[in-house]
Amino acid sequence: MVKAHVSPHELIAGRYRLIDIVHRETNRVSWHGEDVQEGRPCLVTRIGLPAHLGEEEAVQAADRVMRMSETMARVSPGRVATVLDALTEAGSLWTVTEWVDGLPLGQLVDQEGPFDPTMAAAVALQLLDVLEAAHGEGITHGELSPGQVFLRVQGHLVVTGFGLAGATLVPRLAAPSYASPEQARDERIGPAADLWALGAILYTMLEGRPPYPDPDWPASTPRGAARPPLGSMLRAGPLAATVQGLVRKDSWERPTRTTVRQSLNRVLEQDPQAVVAASRLRRAGAAARRLGPRRSGRAMVAGTALAVVTVAVAALAVTQQPPHTEETAGGGAQTRPPVSTAPAAEDAGEPVDATPRPSDASSGTPSSPAPTATAAPSPPAVSVDVLPAGYQVYRAPEGFSVALPDGWKRLTTRKQGDAAYRVTFGSDGDPRTLAVTYSTRAGSDPVAVWRDDVEPALRRQAGFRRIGAIEATTYQGYEAADMEWFSDTDGRRGRTFGRGFLLGGHRSFSLRWTTPSANWEKAANRQALETFLGTFRPDPAV
């Protein structure tokens, strides 16, 4: 680790020259820089560290940034800027990343004004892809802001700043107005905090200003910043409800990534001018792509605007393909299983027979490529006070309640004393089932419970195949994880979505929704899963 001079008139760490300021946010400044030893451009960012932070802790913070960069380069190649160096000096953390051939989103909004909903949706979809990759590895960004999101002229988005959250004891290092409410309260954060920041960034793109003003820094930290009501949205149009859902105060009320993705794709599908605009801007931005890192601000904006709309066209092309089939080819951000914002853990130790038992299942063997996993919607979509027609709340004597379709009943109940039980619900002649499992032997990591305790037992089932990654999330304020898989019953293909969450004290619940795989995307099945997740409640005494 190398000490750094903080004067922009000198070489940082003896090798990085600061040329022009690229973007400035509260407690963060980024420069177009040059590595004089390698003779190449780079992006140099200075972030103020808390005054009480000791030298050893500062060095550890820099080390964390380097380690996180390596991880993210593996799970999201090309979408996360590579950190070349990280160092500390005089209360500041300096990060040196590869030069990003484009503009930070904040600067683009400042120079070009608000985005239309199609452009904003296209950018948000790409950012969602990066977050899905990170959350699948149990990584929360925690410092997302328009200054950490770059739009490249080549047509894709690049994110910086991974590893800053958690590098110190403060809830956030920079851009307090993009801190989620739980982060502002200095509480533990997870994927839902990044989704809140995504909503705040969407608001900024659409309205041309942050949803909340930054408090003075460092005199006031996010913890002390009172959040006024969200400002009125005059330009959000079809994205207004999505933004409002993402910036909800309670993390468990925010929509899942799947729900957000569907909303963003709908906006792109409904814009017939996207392709025309992309063609026009492709020609306008050709010169900007040839100018290199020292291009003028005007040319950079033109090139980056091109990238935004090009992304919109790419996303639009995806949405025009047949929706989520088992034959969807794996690979690429669109085929990663979306992560919901609800917490999950699972059947710790798999104490009860894990086999989901639909009374029937339709045929339909998937092809070898991994299918697109569609995770569940978040709980707020359904309230126990306003249920869909044809549903009634069932209160189980074991200590939970959930809304079930009319005519559904308990099919099986399996118990292991007081340590665990599984109740399976369904209806005669209905191939779908919901299984609720409770355990007192859960581990402390919900992803690990699925991976190490549950999946080995599931692999003994005929035709078992996991769909995508096991996704860490949150659910009703609890740590959680989601997993989906195929399995065969009586030679017929079924598909199961499982969400498990940890209650603490080694106690856990899990919900497993199984349908014939060919019927997975039917509206009635999506509504059923949404209703189960939205209405399930453990008894507080459990």
Side-chain angles (χ1 to χ4, degrees), residues 207-341:
E207 300 298 325
R209 66 183 189 278
Y212 306 104
D214 275 356
D216 293 336
W217 190 279
S220 176
T221 67
R223 190 189 312 183
R227 291 285 194 224
L230 183 69
S232 60
M233 288 181 283
L234 305 178
R235 303 178 178 88
L239 288 175
T242 301
V243 173
Q244 290 169 341
L246 286 169
V247 298
R248 285 172 176 156
K249 179 180 178 181
D250 295 324
S251 60
W252 65 271
E253 290 186 344
R254 295 166 202 157
T256 66
R257 289 202 305 269
T258 299
T259 302
V260 173
R261 182 179 294 280
Q262 291 169 346
S263 299
L264 298 173
N265 276 326
R266 278 196 297 269
V267 172
L268 296 182
E269 290 172 337
Q270 295 168 1
D271 185 357
Q273 299 302 317
V275 175
V276 175
S279 176
R280 184 170 61 250
L281 282 173
R282 185 178 299 110
R283 293 190 298 270
R289 292 197 298 274
R290 295 193 295 267
L291 292 178
R294 298 195 186 202
R295 67 173 57 90
S296 68
R298 184 179 300 275
M300 285 184 68
V301 170
T304 308
L306 157 72
V308 176
V309 182
T310 301
V311 173
V313 177
L316 183 59
V318 172
T319 62
Q320 290 174 333
Q321 295 174 358
H324 302 304
T325 63
E326 289 181 18
E327 287 73 28
T328 302
Q334 290 292 339
T335 60
R336 287 187 59 83
V339 175
S340 53
T341 56

Side-chain angles (χ1 to χ4, degrees), residues 163-179:
L164 295 175
T168 71
L169 297 179
V170 298
R172 193 176 177 100
L173 289 175
S177 67
Y178 294 91

Side-chain angles (χ1 to χ4, degrees), residues 403-421:
L404 300 173
D406 290 344
W408 275 40
K409 59 186 178 181
R410 298 169 75 114
L411 298 179
T412 60
T413 302
R414 298 179 177 85
K415 294 189 175 182
Q416 287 190 354
D418 296 329
Y421 64 79

Side-chain angles (χ1 to χ4, degrees), residues 131-146:
L131 294 179
E132 285 178 359
H135 297 169
E137 296 293 316
I139 296 171
T140 298
H141 188 292
E143 288 277 338
L144 273 177
S145 71

Side-chain angles (χ1 to χ4, degrees), residues 37 58 73 90 105 109 120 155 183 271 305 308-309 390-391 409 425 429 438 445 461 494 523:
Q37 291 186 14
L105 184 58
V109 172
Q183 193 170 15
D271 185 357
V308 176
V309 182
Y391 283 81
K409 59 186 178 181
F425 298 95
Y438 172 77
D445 180 350
Q461 297 180 17

